[in-house]
Every structure is written in structure tokens, then in C-alpha cells.
Amino acid sequence: MMPSIENWAQRVCAGEIRALSRAITAIENHAPEAEELLRRLFPQTGKAYLTGVTGAPGTGKSTLVDRLSAYYRSKQEQVGVIAVDPTSPYSGGAILGDRIRMQGHANDTGMFIRSMATRGFLGGLARATAEVALLLDAAGKQQVLIETVGVGQDEIDIVRLADCVLVLLVPGMGDDIQNMKAGLMEIGDIFVLNKSDREGADRVEQQLHAMLSLVMPRDGWHPPVVRTVASENKGVDVLAETIAKFLKHFEASSERKRKHIEHWKQRLVELLESRLLQRALGGASGEVRLAQLAEEVAERKKDPFSAVSEILKSSGLQ
Ligand SMILES: Nc1nc2c(ncn2[C@@H]2O[C@H](COP(=O)(O)OP(=O)(O)O)[C@@H](O)[C@H]2O)c(=O)[nH]1
Ligand SMILES: [Mg+2]
């Protein structure tokens, strides 16, 4: 088992597509070897720059990610793309559409694209995405782009992983911009006004600036608005330069370090929780015991505090 995991880890580091795909599947399935693999790869990580791309469906996220990827590849940087789309299962239309659109990179070994299933994740989608990002980092992808629809808490958690967050908006959103989630407003490091070839771009940009003037700048960074026409590859170079500028600012202000420490603090708590829960409840018999105790508490035969003490005692944790 162990030598083969070592070999697997080496192949991941070399960027071998099959080894990477297998590793992502292991992460998605929460297979025990995924943890061992990530442990071995961890020392090789911490070099990638993670950019989160979020916005409503149809705003052009996939198109933009595709264009940004091509930009980075033209600069000889290796690129990894993680597409998280809650509206589509693996074989669904949207993902297939993404695949077809990304086919321009199909024969490029410096580029790795993966669509993530979004349902049925043990331990949460954000955690799986974070682990896949680590994997791509270990595989030498300097630019990791994470596409996600900015709707639920899951998506917000995913975007929080990123070093730089792009929030996409398009003209014709009408009053939507007023109702835009405060959360999205706060996590955006750069606002991208895509489809700026469409009517109403000036108006949306004005509204956006008005709203942004109310947001406190973080460490002296005022989130800029960049206009793009992703489908025509317009504004993509300016956007990439703005992302690079943000990174420079981010590192100089030590904000990146602070963010990473915060991130790992949260991840450690999550890992601790899941391990302790595993130890406290054990296998199937623990689950049965939990259900029994819950019933007794619901019927007021037992108080919840004694029930928890009982679980801890029987698992040797107390
Ligand atoms: N007019 C125009 N259409 C665009 C632009 N960017 C993307 N599109 C189109 O918008 C549609 C949705 O794009 P897609 O990238 O799939 O959006 P996503 O759902 O946010 O990933 C596609 O038909 C794109 O070709 C743009 O800048 N201008
Ligand atoms: Mg998409």
C-alpha cells in the first residue's frame, strides 16, 4: 500500500493526468488513501495562486476562466481549473458545454480541468474543493482557477479559499445589483463587468462604484471594476494584470499570510471535529447508540448532557 501511494504522489507531482484524476476521485469519495496521499503532497504545496470566479449563472464565468487560462498558458504558467456547478451533475448539459468550450486546451499538458460533482459529499463540498486545490498546487499548477455560482453558503465557503476573488456582473441586471448579496460585495477583490458589449454597461458600472464606495477597503485595497467581453477575449489581459497587482498588494500587506492562517485554523477545527466524532461514535453501532439516546432525550427519559457524557465515557474519551 505505502510504496504505491509514494509512487502515486510522485506521479501527481509530475502532473500526470491519470494520477491526478484518480486522486480527485479518491478525495470525492473520501477514500482513506486520499488523506495519506495529501499528507505526502502537503510539503510540495503553498506555491499556487488561487483565483475564485463567482457570479450568477450565465454571466460568463466559464468563458472568462477559459480565456484567463489561455492568457496564463501564453505566459508559460501552468493552469488548473476546478469547476463547481451546483446546477449540473457530472454528465449534465452545462458541464458538457464547459468541456466543449474548453476543448481548445484539450491537448495541452500544462492545463488540467476538472468539474466537481456537487452532491453527496461527505465532509462538505468546500473541503473537497480545498483538497483538490492542494492537489493541483502539488502538481505544479501555478494558477488555480475555481469557478463557482455565488449563491449558497457552500459557494461562499469555496470562494473564501481563494487568494483573489472575482465577482462577475453583467449589464441588464436592472435592480438586481441593489439586491446583490452583501456577502458577495464583501468577498469581491475585483469586480468584473462582463458582457460589457451589451447596453447598460455604463449604468451598471456607476451603480457598482456607488455601492463599492460604501464598502470599507481592506488593507488599503479598493476593489476595482474591470470591463470585459469574455466571448471576444477583450479586457482579459487588463484583468490578469489587475489580478497580479492585487497579489502584490496582498503579499506586501501580509494579508495573504493572515488569510492563510485563518483558513488553516478553520480547517484544523473541521478535521478535529470529524476525527473526534469518528472516535466518539465509531462505526455502525455508534450510530445506533446515538439514535437510541436521541430517542430517550426526545422522550425526556434522559437529559442531553448525560447522554453526551455517556457517549464520551463508552468511547474512552472521558
Ligand atoms: N455578448 C456576450 N456574451 C458572452 C460574453 N461572455 C460570455 N458570453 C456568453 O454567455 C453565455 C454564458 O456563458 P458561460 O461562460 O457559460 O456562463 P457561466 O454560466 O457564468 O459559466 C455563453 O453563451 C457565452 O458565449 C460576453 O462578454 N459578451
Ligand atoms: Mg459555467
Side-chain angles (χ1 to χ4, degrees), residues 13 41 125 139 155 167 235 256 261 267 271 287 315:
C13 286
L41 292 172
L125 182 59
E155 281 72 36
V167 174
R256 191 175 192 219
I261 292 172
R267 294 282 303 282
L271 278 174
E287 294 272 350
S315 63

Short mmCIF file of all heavy atoms in Angstrom, two decimals, residues 13 41 125 139 155 167 235 256 261 267 271 287 315:
data_model
loop_
_atom_site.label_atom_id
_atom_site.label_comp_id
_atom_site.label_asym_id
_atom_site.label_seq_id
_atom_site.Cartn_x
_atom_site.Cartn_y
_atom_site.Cartn_z
N CYS A 13 2.89 14.86 -8.49
CA CYS A 13 3.83 15.99 -8.54
C CYS A 13 4.34 16.23 -9.95
O CYS A 13 4.63 17.36 -10.33
CB CYS A 13 5.01 15.75 -7.60
SG CYS A 13 4.55 15.95 -5.89
N LEU A 41 1.83 14.91 -0.07
CA LEU A 41 1.96 16.00 -1.03
C LEU A 41 2.07 17.37 -0.37
O LEU A 41 2.58 18.32 -0.96
CB LEU A 41 0.76 16.00 -1.98
CG LEU A 41 0.66 14.82 -2.94
CD1 LEU A 41 -0.67 14.85 -3.68
CD2 LEU A 41 1.81 14.86 -3.95
N LEU A 125 -18.59 20.13 0.44
CA LEU A 125 -18.04 20.48 -0.86
C LEU A 125 -16.84 21.41 -0.74
O LEU A 125 -15.86 21.28 -1.49
CB LEU A 125 -19.15 21.15 -1.68
CG LEU A 125 -18.82 21.56 -3.10
CD1 LEU A 125 -18.39 20.37 -3.92
CD2 LEU A 125 -20.04 22.21 -3.74
N ALA A 139 0.80 19.56 -7.93
CA ALA A 139 1.10 19.15 -9.31
C ALA A 139 1.76 20.27 -10.11
O ALA A 139 1.97 20.13 -11.32
CB ALA A 139 -0.18 18.69 -10.00
N GLU A 155 -20.91 27.89 -1.58
CA GLU A 155 -20.14 28.63 -2.59
C GLU A 155 -19.30 29.72 -1.94
O GLU A 155 -18.16 29.94 -2.31
CB GLU A 155 -21.07 29.26 -3.62
CG GLU A 155 -21.56 28.27 -4.66
CD GLU A 155 -22.58 27.29 -4.12
OE1 GLU A 155 -23.39 27.70 -3.26
OE2 GLU A 155 -22.55 26.12 -4.51
N VAL A 167 -15.75 38.79 -8.76
CA VAL A 167 -17.21 38.70 -8.80
C VAL A 167 -17.66 39.23 -10.16
O VAL A 167 -17.35 40.36 -10.53
CB VAL A 167 -17.86 39.51 -7.65
CG1 VAL A 167 -19.38 39.54 -7.80
CG2 VAL A 167 -17.48 38.91 -6.30
N GLY A 235 -10.37 42.72 -22.77
CA GLY A 235 -10.21 43.12 -21.36
C GLY A 235 -9.58 42.03 -20.49
O GLY A 235 -9.35 42.25 -19.30
N ARG A 256 -2.23 38.14 2.96
CA ARG A 256 -2.27 36.77 2.46
C ARG A 256 -1.91 35.78 3.58
O ARG A 256 -2.57 34.77 3.76
CB ARG A 256 -1.33 36.60 1.28
CG ARG A 256 -1.53 35.27 0.57
CD ARG A 256 -0.68 35.15 -0.67
NE ARG A 256 -1.11 34.01 -1.46
CZ ARG A 256 -0.28 33.20 -2.10
NH1 ARG A 256 1.01 33.42 -2.06
NH2 ARG A 256 -0.74 32.20 -2.80
N ILE A 261 -3.53 31.74 7.60
CA ILE A 261 -3.57 31.25 8.98
C ILE A 261 -5.02 31.03 9.41
O ILE A 261 -5.37 30.00 9.98
CB ILE A 261 -2.84 32.21 9.94
CG1 ILE A 261 -1.34 32.21 9.63
CG2 ILE A 261 -3.10 31.83 11.41
CD1 ILE A 261 -0.53 33.26 10.38
N ARG A 267 -9.74 24.89 9.06
CA ARG A 267 -9.60 23.52 8.57
C ARG A 267 -9.21 22.56 9.68
O ARG A 267 -9.67 21.42 9.72
CB ARG A 267 -8.57 23.46 7.44
CG ARG A 267 -8.97 24.19 6.18
CD ARG A 267 -9.95 23.41 5.34
NE ARG A 267 -9.47 22.09 4.95
CZ ARG A 267 -8.59 21.88 3.98
NH1 ARG A 267 -8.13 22.88 3.27
NH2 ARG A 267 -8.20 20.65 3.68
N LEU A 271 -11.19 19.25 10.84
CA LEU A 271 -10.57 17.92 10.88
C LEU A 271 -10.70 17.30 12.26
O LEU A 271 -11.00 16.12 12.41
CB LEU A 271 -9.10 18.01 10.50
CG LEU A 271 -8.79 18.03 9.01
CD1 LEU A 271 -7.31 18.26 8.78
CD2 LEU A 271 -9.21 16.72 8.36
N GLU A 287 -23.66 4.73 15.69
CA GLU A 287 -24.80 5.42 15.08
C GLU A 287 -26.11 4.94 15.71
O GLU A 287 -27.00 5.73 15.98
CB GLU A 287 -24.84 5.15 13.56
CG GLU A 287 -23.68 5.72 12.79
CD GLU A 287 -23.92 7.16 12.34
OE1 GLU A 287 -25.05 7.64 12.46
OE2 GLU A 287 -22.94 7.79 11.88
N SER A 315 -16.67 5.64 24.78
CA SER A 315 -15.60 5.65 23.76
C SER A 315 -14.23 5.89 24.37
O SER A 315 -13.23 5.97 23.65
CB SER A 315 -15.90 6.71 22.71
OG SER A 315 -15.90 7.98 23.31
#
